[in-house]
Structure formats: structure tokens, C-alpha cells
Amino acid sequence: MIVAAYSEYWNTLTTAGKSSPEEARTLLKQYVSGSYLDHLVAGVRQMSEQGREPYGEVIPRIKEVRVGGKRAEVIDCQDTSQAGMADRRTHQLIPGTIKANSTANIKAELEQSADGRWRLVGLSIREAACTPPSS
């Protein structure tokens, strides 16, 4: 459940990033809650104002999941080598926004909501380099 919620969040985030802020909130509230949801919607609004949108996809490479009651932490060495930014009007990749062989060292915090679903409540990109787990 936790891994599925975390992975689906990334797919939904890309779709939300191409939507209006209002649509983004509707899409994301299935996977995100609290102030982190507000933060993401503000980011969508800012990208829209800048004429940018997500391009491609990130590929989660989960290294570890820690669960304690209704809280969980996911450690991910995400493959970001196919993700960048596009022009919102033309949907064309903005040159230089994709970096080959790149990863992001992610720490995501999730909480189990009253409806039983796991939702992200925070996410940070850690400075340290990471190596994805072996497939």
C-alpha cells in the first residue's frame, strides 16, 4: 500500500503539473495531504506562470520503507534521467533540463489517513548522492 501510494504519486504529479492549480489539487489530494498539498499546488501555479510544465517521467527506485504506526518513510534513489521541463504552450522539451544518468536522493514522509489511504505529507531531496538498488 505504501509503495503503491508513493509510486502513483509521481505519475499523478506529472499529470497535475500540466493542469490548472485547481485541477492539480483535485488530482493530488488522493496522494498528498496537509501543507504539502498546498506547497505542490503553489508549485504548479508558479510553473504555469513561468510557461513551464513537467516533461517525461521520473522512475522510483525505492531503497527502503520504514513504518511506525500510521507514519511511514520511503527512501528512494529516483532515476531522473528521463525527466525535465517543457514549454507549456508547445509541450516541447526545454533544452538542458534533462541530465543523463541522474538520480535524486528522496526521503518521503507518509501518513495513513482516516480513510485508510497512505498520503505524502512531506518530501525532501537529500544532498548526498545515491545508488539505486539492484533490480
Side-chain angles (χ1 to χ4, degrees):
M1 298 292 283
I2 295 166
V3 170
Y6 174 79
S7 297
E8 195 54 40
Y9 157 77
W10 288 104
N11 294 332
T12 303
L13 185 61
T14 299
T15 303
K18 297 176 182 182
S19 305
S20 70
E22 297 76 22
E23 290 173 89
R25 181 177 298 278
T26 299
L27 291 167
L28 289 168
K29 69 182 179 182
Q30 297 177 68
Y31 304 99
V32 183
S33 64
S35 62
Y36 188 56
L37 177 59
D38 296 334
H39 168 76
L40 291 174
V41 172
V44 169
R45 183 172 289 112
Q46 183 178 24
M47 275 194 308
S48 179
E49 289 168 357
Q50 294 171 348
R52 296 163 69 105
E53 67 182 12
Y55 179 92
E57 65 179 341
V58 297
I59 302 165
R61 300 280 190 244
I62 296 170
K63 294 182 79 161
E64 188 176 352
V65 177
R66 299 181 196 127
V67 182
K70 294 191 177 287
R71 294 190 60 85
E73 185 177 273
V74 172
I75 305 299
D76 181 11
C77 186
Q78 190 174 88
D79 178 349
T80 58
S81 64
Q82 297 176 39
M85 297 300 292
D87 181 290
R88 197 171 188 90
R89 188 177 42 79
T90 65
H91 311 293
Q92 297 298 308
L93 175 66
I94 298 170
T97 62
I98 288 185
K99 296 183 178 100
N101 301 316
S102 60
T103 58
N105 190 348
I106 305 284
K107 177 179 141 186
E109 298 169 37
L110 295 89
E111 282 185 4
Q112 192 172 28
S113 302
D115 64 4
R117 290 185 64 130
W118 287 92
R119 290 182 171 85
L120 276 84
V121 294
L123 184 140
S124 59
I125 300 174
R126 303 182 316 172
E127 293 293 322
C130 64
T131 304
S134 301
S135 301

